[in-house]
Amino acid sequence: TFTAWCNSHLRKAGTQIENIEEDFRDGLKLMLLLEVISGERLAKPERGKMRVHKISNVNKALDFIASKGVKLVSIGAEEIVDGNVKMTLGMIWTIILRFAIQDISVEETSAKEGLLLWCQRKTAPYKNVNIQNFHISWKDGLGFCALIHRHRPELIDYGKLRKDDPLTNLNTAFDVAEKYLDIPKMLDAEDIVGTARPDEKAIMTYVSSFYHAFSGAQKAETAANRICKVLAVNQENEQLMEDYEKLASDLLEWIRRTIPWLENRAPENTMQAMQQKLEDFRDYRRLHKPPKVQEKCQLEINFNTLQTKLRLSNRPAFMPSEGKMVSDINNAWGGLEQAEKGYEEWLLNEIRRLERLDHLAEKFRQKASIHESWTDGKEAMLQQKDYETATLSEIKALLKKHEAFESDLAAHQDRVEQIAAIAQELNELDYYDSPSVNARCQKICDQWDNLGALTQKRREALERTEKLLETIDQLYLEYAKRAAPFNNWMEGAMEDLQDTFIVHTIEEIQGLSTAHEQFKATLPDADKERQAILGIHNEVSKIVQTYHVNMAGTNPYTTITPHEINGKWEHVRQLVPRRDQALMEEHARQQQNERLRKQFGAQANVIGPWIQTKMEEIGRISIEMHGTLEDQLNHLRQYEKSIVNYKPKIDQLEGDHQQIQEALIFDNKHTNYTMEHIRVGWEQLLTTIARTINEVENQILTRDAKGISQEQMNEFRASFNHFDRDHSGTLGPEEFKACLISLGYDIGNDAQGEAEFARIMSIVDPNRLGVVTFQAFIDFMSRETADTDTADQVMASFKILAGDKNYITVDELRRELPPDQAEYCIARMAPYNGRDAVPGALDYMSFSTALYGESDL
C-alpha cells in the first residue's frame, strides 16, 4: 500500500520505486517524493555514493518533515540508510499523515476523525453501508463503491452490487478507481477479505486518495452550503419584515378606528344610555385594549430582534414603510391615550349631570302638579258674579272669603318662584326636555299673573259693596285664616316628606335624618293647632245650632273642611314612618358604599406599591449581573411568570371598581390610587419585563453569533455597569471612553486618539444622541474581530459553483443548491451582460453585493 501511494506521486516526476527500504536508502527519491507532494524545493542533494552522502540526504528530508510541524520519534537517518524496514515504514506513514490526511477538516474535526466523518456523510444514503472505522467497515467493498458512485454515478451500477460478494465489490472499486480516477491499486482484495481486521493505516491511506480525488466536488459543496446559509438568513429576515409590516398596519388601523370613538363627547339624554357608554368603555379597557397593549409591546420586540439579526448578519437596518416606524406607532398610541384621557371622567360627569337633571325634573313635576291642582278652578271662581245677587251677609262673607283667598294666594307665591327657579336651572344644565318644561312653567306663570289680576279685580268689586256688609261671622273668618296656613303647612310637609333626595356620603344622609327628626319634634305643636282649628269649627256649629243661623252648614270664607284637615293630617302621620324607612335604607346604602370604598382602597394601597416595587426590581435585575445570560433569561422568565400570576388581583380590583361605579361613588378618601393609575402601572410593568427579556435574548443572539464567551460577556457587563453610575442603562461619551480604556482599548489623549474615538462613537451612536446603549457597546466589542460572512465570501462561493466563470447559469444553480434557494436566486439575479456572456447567464456578483447593501432583496 505504501509503495503504491509513493509511486502515485513519484510518477509525476518520471520515476518509480520497487522496494521502499532499498530505494529510499540514498535519500534521493525520498527528497524527490517530498518535493512532489509539498510543491516546495528542498536543499540540493548530495550525489556521492558514500554513506556520509546518503545520511546527509536523508537528514535533509527529515529536517524538511520536521519544519512542517511533524515530531519524528526514534527515526534517524542512519536507520533509513541501513534499510531498517520498521523505521522506513514509520517514516512513510508519518509523511502520509502529514501531507495526505492531516489537512482534511470537516466541521472543525481533523485528520482521522475528519476523514471518517467525510466518509460517513458521503455514504449515509446507501443501504448496507455503515462506516464506523478504518478496518472491518470496508471489508465488503460496498463503502469504496458508494464513495465512487456518490461522486461519479456513471462509473458504477450500485444497484447490482451484493453485500455477500465482497471480492467482486472490492475489485470493481479498485479497477474503476485506477482506470478513471487515477488512484493506483494500493490494496489487495483477497488480503482484505481473508483478514479478520484489515490494516487501518493502509485503508486510511487509500481512502485519503479518494478524498483528494474528489476535493473539487468538496469545494463546490462547501460553497453551496455557504450560499444556502446566506440565503436562508435573507429569507427569514424578509418574513420577519412582512410580519412587522402587517402587525403595524393592523395596530395603526385599530388605533385609527378607536380614537374617533373616544373623542366623541356627544352626551346622551338618558341615564341608561350614558350607563351603556360607561359599560362600553369598561369593556374597552378590560377586554379590547389589553391585547393591543401586548401587540404594541410585541411589535417593538419583533422590531428590535429583527434589527439585531440584520446587524449580526451584516445586513442593512430594516426601514419600515412610511408611517409604520416604531416611533409612528408610539405617536399614534400617544394620540389614543390622549383621546382616552378624560373620557371616563367625562362619562361620570355626564352621569352625575343627568342624575341631577332627573332629580330636578322630578321635583319640577311634583311642585307643578301640586300648584296646578291648587289653581284648578280658581280662575272660574274669581270670575263669578255671585256678589251681584247676594244678600248683605253673603256679600260680607264673599269679601272675607276673598281675603282668605288672597292670603292663600300669597302663601303659594314661594312655590311659583321655586317652580320658575327649577325651570331656569334645568335650562342652564341643558336638560334635553327643556322645551316642555319651559312651556309648562310659562303656562303656570301666565296663569299666576292672570290670577293676580283677577284677584285684584274681584277685590275692587267686593270693596264697592263693602258698605252693604254689616256683620261677619268672626269664627268662620278665624277658622279660615288659621285653616289656610295650617293646610298649606300640611301640604308643604307632605311635599317635603315625599321629596326625593340624592346623597353621596354618610354625612349627607345623617344631615337629612337630623332635619327629619327636627320636623318630627314640631308635630305635637302642629297637632295642638289642628285641635284648636277644629275647636273653632265646633264652636261655629254650636252657634248655628243655637241661633239657627241660615249658613247652609258651610263656611263662606274657605273651602277647607275639618274632614280635609283630618285627612291630610292622617296622611302626614303615614308619610313620617315612610320617610323614616327611606332615610334608614339610604343610610344603609351609604354604609355599603363606604365599605366598597374601604375595600377598594385596601387593595389599591397594596397593588399600587407592589407594582412600583416590581418596576424598581426589574430595573435592578437589568443592571445587576448574576450567572450566565441563560440564567438571567430563565430568572427573568420566572419573574415574568410571577408577575402574570398576580393578574387575578388586578381583575379582582377591576371588579370592585365596577361595583363602585355602578353604585355611583365618585370619590374615595381611603386611597390616592385610582383604577386608571393601577391600569397604567400594570401595563407599564408587563411592557418593561417583556422589553428586559428581549434585551437579554438579543444579548444571547449577539454572544452566539459573534462568538463571545460568557466570561467576556460578564466582563463587558461588569465594566458597563461600573461606569453607568446613574443606572440609566446608557453611557455618556466620557463614561464610554473610560469603559473602553478599562477593557484595555488604547485611546490616547492626542489628536489621533480623539479621531479614533470619534470613529468609534459614529459606530455605537450613529444617530448622535450622545448616549451608548449596552447592546451597541457589545456589538462594537465583537464587531471588528467577528468571523461573519461577507459579500466577498459569498461571491467567491458562487465563483466555485460557476466553475470559475464570471457568471452562473440556471442549470448550475439548480444542480448545486436546494430547490427553494435555487429558485430564490434565479428570481432575484440580474442578467449578466459581460463580453463572455452566454444566453441565460446570471450576474452573481451584483447579487452577492446586494445581499449586504441597500437593495430590494
Side-chain angles (χ1 to χ4, degrees):
T1 300
F2 286 179
T3 301
W5 183 85
C6 292
N7 283 333
S8 69
H9 293 285
L10 285 173
R11 71 167 172 258
K12 298 176 184 177
T15 186
Q16 297 278 281
I17 62 171
E18 296 293 335
N19 186 294
I20 285 181
E21 63 269 27
E22 291 297 330
D23 292 347
F24 282 156
R25 290 178 63 177
D26 61 3
L28 293 174
K29 289 187 178 181
L30 178 60
M31 293 177 68
L32 183 61
L33 174 66
L34 289 172
E35 288 183 346
V36 171
I37 62 178
S38 69
E40 300 180 25
R41 297 290 297 177
L42 273 69
K44 186 176 181 180
E46 301 287 342
R47 296 294 180 177
K49 300 291 187 177
M50 299 178 64
R51 177 179 173 83
V52 65
H53 297 144
K54 296 178 182 180
I55 291 175
S56 176
N57 289 337
V58 173
N59 273 327
K60 289 177 181 178
L62 294 178
D63 290 343
F64 178 78
I65 295 172
S67 71
K68 298 301 179 181
V70 179
K71 188 174 183 181
L72 298 169
V73 180
S74 302
I75 298 178
E78 291 79 2
E79 287 87 351
I80 304 299
V81 171
D82 293 340
N84 187 314
V85 176
K86 182 176 180 181
M87 290 298 178
T88 302
L89 291 177
M91 178 189 67
I92 297 301
W93 174 241
T94 300
I95 292 173
I96 291 173
L97 278 178
R98 170 60 184 84
F99 294 100
I101 298 176
Q102 182 173 314
D103 291 338
I104 297 174
S105 178
V106 180
E107 287 191 0
E108 301 182 3
T109 61
S110 59
K112 179 179 178 180
E113 291 81 6
L115 184 61
L116 183 62
L117 179 59
W118 179 79
C119 294
Q120 289 171 340
R121 287 187 172 179
K122 294 300 180 181
T123 61
Y126 294 87
K127 64 180 181 179
N128 296 327
V129 178
N130 183 18
I131 304 301
Q132 298 297 326
N133 49 56
F134 285 111
H135 36 81
I136 61 175
S137 293
W138 303 87
K139 288 189 65 174
D140 59 11
L142 292 178
F144 296 111
C145 293
L147 283 179
I148 297 172
H149 185 269
R150 178 65 184 272
H151 295 91
R152 297 287 299 277
E154 75 278 6
L155 299 180
I156 290 180
D157 187 353
Y158 188 84
K160 293 184 178 180
L161 300 178
R162 302 199 326 269
K163 187 174 180 64
D164 59 359
D165 190 5
L167 280 176
T168 299
N169 298 339
L170 289 167
N171 284 321
T172 298
F174 297 162
D175 292 341
V176 169
E178 184 174 42
K179 183 176 181 182
Y180 295 103
L181 304 179
D182 199 23
I183 299 174
K185 290 186 179 180
M186 301 182 189
L187 303 173
D188 183 83
E190 285 77 8
D191 287 346
I192 293 176
V193 173
T195 304
R197 179 187 170 105
D199 184 70
E200 187 175 51
K201 295 179 180 178
I203 298 292
M204 284 182 63
T205 301
Y206 188 57
V207 171
S208 70
S209 298
F210 281 87
Y211 178 87
H212 292 294
F214 297 134
S215 61
Q218 184 68 21
K219 290 180 181 178
E221 181 178 341
T222 301
N225 289 337
R226 178 183 292 276
I227 292 170
C228 288
K229 175 184 175 184
V230 172
L231 295 180
V233 170
N234 250 54
Q235 290 169 316
E236 179 185 1
N237 291 341
E238 287 178 1
Q239 185 60 48
L240 290 174
M241 293 175 191
E242 291 177 6
D243 293 344
Y244 173 88
E245 291 280 341
K246 183 177 186 308
L247 187 57
S249 297
D250 292 346
L251 185 57
L252 285 171
E253 175 61 20
W254 178 80
I255 293 173
R256 185 191 65 78
R257 292 196 314 267
T258 305
I259 286 179
W261 173 65
L262 292 172
E263 289 178 340
N264 180 13
R265 297 295 198 271
E268 300 292 342
N269 292 331
T270 64
M271 280 281 288
Q272 182 179 2
M274 289 305 297
Q275 289 281 12
Q276 184 58 48
K277 276 183 177 286
L278 182 60
E279 185 65 29
D280 292 343
F281 181 73
R282 274 201 298 264
D283 289 343
Y284 159 77
R285 286 312 308 264
R286 297 182 61 184
L287 302 178
H288 304 305
K289 185 183 177 186
K292 299 303 178 183
V293 173
Q294 186 176 358
E295 286 181 16
K296 175 177 175 292
C297 178
Q298 190 62 46
L299 190 72
E300 294 180 12
I301 290 173
N302 290 353
F303 182 83
N304 293 335
T305 300
L306 173 59
Q307 297 294 35
T308 299
K309 289 186 176 181
L310 290 172
R311 185 169 60 254
L312 294 177
S313 58
N314 282 346
R315 270 43 168 205
F318 169 52
M319 288 298 292
S321 303
E322 184 176 356
K324 297 180 183 177
M325 293 287 291
V326 172
S327 60
D328 296 322
I329 303 296
N330 288 332
N331 289 337
W333 192 264
L336 175 73
E337 293 187 330
Q338 187 63 33
E340 181 182 309
K341 185 178 181 182
Y343 185 72
E344 185 175 27
E345 182 180 354
W346 172 77
L347 286 173
L348 295 175
N349 286 337
E350 276 299 306
I351 290 173
R352 192 181 295 118
R353 184 180 69 84
L354 288 175
E355 182 185 39
R356 171 69 175 162
L357 285 174
D358 286 348
H359 171 66
L360 287 174
E362 180 61 25
K363 197 166 187 177
F364 174 84
R365 285 190 288 270
Q366 285 185 2
K367 288 184 177 293
S369 296
I370 292 171
H371 178 75
E372 289 165 347
S373 176
W374 176 82
T375 59
D376 184 39
K378 293 296 189 294
E379 289 178 310
M381 181 269 290
L382 291 172
Q383 291 173 336
Q384 290 178 357
K385 303 294 184 178
D386 53 347
Y387 54 85
E388 294 180 346
T389 58
T391 63
L392 181 60
S393 60
E394 289 172 340
I395 290 299
K396 290 182 180 291
L398 288 175
L399 184 57
K400 298 301 182 183
K401 180 181 179 182
H402 190 70
E403 290 176 356
F405 172 77
E406 286 181 322
S407 176
D408 198 10
L409 186 67
H412 281 78
Q413 178 69 33
D414 287 341
R415 182 175 290 113
V416 174
E417 291 175 353
Q418 290 173 5
I419 290 171
I422 293 173
Q424 178 63 28
E425 188 172 359
L426 287 171
N427 277 282
E428 290 172 353
L429 293 176
D430 194 21
Y431 181 53
Y432 80 97
D433 199 22
S434 289
S436 64
V437 170
N438 291 337
R440 190 172 184 183
C441 181
Q442 188 61 46
K443 182 178 178 182
I444 290 172
C445 291
D446 291 344
Q447 185 187 42
W448 183 256
D449 292 339
N450 191 36
L451 284 175
L454 291 175
T455 299
Q456 182 64 26
K457 184 178 179 180
R458 184 173 177 81
R459 167 171 280 283
E460 291 173 354
L462 289 173
E463 286 178 345
R464 283 195 301 267
T465 59
E466 186 178 7
K467 60 182 178 293
L468 302 174
L469 301 178
E470 293 180 350
T471 61
I472 187 170
D473 190 340
Q474 292 297 326
L475 289 174
Y476 266 8
L477 182 58
E478 184 181 358
Y479 175 91
K481 287 183 176 181
R482 294 180 69 173
F486 184 70
N487 182 66
N488 190 52
W489 175 86
M490 287 193 296
E491 289 180 347
M494 288 188 291
E495 181 180 348
D496 291 340
L497 288 171
Q498 296 178 90
D499 187 21
T500 58
F501 51 81
I502 298 176
V503 294
H504 298 98
T505 65
I506 291 179
E507 291 76 13
E508 290 178 4
I509 193 62
Q510 287 175 341
L512 290 178
S513 298
T514 300
H516 182 60
E517 292 300 322
Q518 291 173 350
F519 167 76
K520 289 197 295 184
T522 65
L523 289 178
D525 290 338
D527 191 38
K528 291 178 181 178
E529 178 65 9
R530 182 181 67 88
Q531 295 292 343
I533 293 172
L534 293 178
I536 294 172
H537 183 270
N538 293 334
E539 186 67 21
V540 169
S541 298
K542 290 179 181 179
I543 294 174
V544 169
Q545 292 174 3
T546 302
Y547 299 101
H548 304 286
V549 177
N550 185 20
M551 299 299 294
T554 60
N555 190 331
Y557 308 120
T558 181
T559 59
I560 301 172
T561 66
H563 178 72
E564 290 178 5
I565 291 175
N566 286 330
K568 290 181 179 179
W569 176 256
E570 185 59 31
H571 192 199
V572 168
R573 291 184 59 214
Q574 292 174 354
L575 289 175
V576 168
R578 294 180 191 172
R579 185 74 168 182
D580 288 334
Q581 181 65 25
L583 290 171
M584 184 173 64
E585 291 175 354
E586 181 61 26
H587 190 272
R589 189 175 79 87
Q590 289 303 324
Q591 286 182 321
Q592 173 62 16
N593 288 353
E594 186 66 9
R595 283 194 295 273
L596 290 176
R597 288 189 183 95
K598 291 180 178 179
Q599 180 175 324
F600 178 86
Q603 290 190 78
N605 289 337
V606 172
I607 292 175
W610 180 87
I611 291 176
Q612 181 62 34
T613 300
K614 293 302 176 184
M615 289 288 288
E616 294 171 356
E617 289 177 358
I618 293 172
R620 288 197 298 273
I621 291 173
S622 64
I623 292 175
E624 296 173 355
M625 177 180 61
H626 298 292
T628 65
L629 289 176
E630 283 77 9
D631 293 338
Q632 296 177 40
L633 184 60
N634 290 333
H635 179 55
L636 283 169
R637 284 176 174 161
Q638 291 296 322
Y639 201 80
E640 182 184 39
K641 185 177 180 182
S642 70
I643 289 175
V644 171
N645 289 339
Y646 201 77
K647 183 63 165 57
K649 294 185 182 296
I650 305 296
D651 293 338
Q652 181 182 354
L653 192 66
E654 283 280 8
D656 293 342
H657 178 62
Q658 182 173 345
Q659 292 183 44
I660 283 179
Q661 287 192 330
E662 290 172 352
L664 299 178
I665 299 172
F666 302 111
D667 57 354
N668 192 343
K669 64 183 179 181
H670 300 292
T671 181
N672 292 325
Y673 293 98
T674 66
M675 195 64 233
E676 184 63 20
H677 291 149
I678 300 299
R679 290 171 184 152
V680 171
W682 176 250
E683 291 169 1
Q684 289 177 346
L685 181 60
L686 292 179
T687 299
T688 300
I689 187 65
R691 284 175 177 165
T692 305
I693 289 174
N694 180 243
E695 287 177 2
V696 177
E697 290 173 337
N698 284 341
Q699 290 176 26
I700 292 174
L701 277 175
T702 302
R703 182 199 66 191
D704 295 342
K706 300 296 185 179
I708 303 173
S709 68
Q710 186 63 49
E711 291 75 16
Q712 287 176 307
M713 185 64 76
N714 289 345
E715 182 183 4
F716 293 160
R717 170 56 80 181
S719 298
F720 190 91
N721 288 347
H722 175 75
F723 291 98
D724 181 17
R725 294 182 174 89
D726 60 355
H727 305 300
S728 64
T730 60
L731 299 180
E734 293 304 318
E735 293 172 331
F736 176 56
K737 179 187 286 188
C739 185
L740 289 178
I741 293 173
S742 74
L743 290 171
Y745 213 95
D746 185 14
I747 301 177
N749 291 323
D750 54 8
Q752 182 178 354
E754 291 299 324
E756 172 64 10
F757 184 65
R759 180 190 72 82
I760 295 173
M761 283 300 296
S762 69
I763 296 173
V764 298
D765 183 21
N767 297 324
R768 298 183 180 179
L769 300 177
V771 294
V772 180
T773 65
F774 181 68
Q775 186 64 46
F777 171 66
I778 59 175
D779 282 349
F780 169 75
M781 293 305 295
S782 58
R783 178 189 298 269
E784 299 187 357
T785 59
D787 182 19
T788 57
D789 292 317
T790 65
D792 290 339
Q793 290 174 322
V794 175
M795 202 179 303
S797 298
F798 273 118
K799 194 175 184 69
I800 293 174
L801 299 187
D804 216 30
K805 301 191 298 295
N806 292 325
Y807 60 85
I808 195 167
T809 66
V810 171
D811 291 340
E812 288 170 335
L813 287 170
R814 288 176 173 158
R815 183 177 69 244
E816 300 293 347
L817 298 178
D820 60 333
Q821 296 187 330
E823 298 307 320
Y824 180 84
C825 294
I826 293 168
R828 288 164 173 77
M829 280 188 182
Y832 177 73
N833 297 319
R835 292 182 178 180
D836 53 343
V838 300
L842 298 176
D843 187 354
Y844 64 78
M845 295 185 183
S846 64
F847 175 79
S848 300
T849 303
L851 286 175
Y852 292 86
E854 298 293 339
S855 74
D856 295 330
L857 292 180

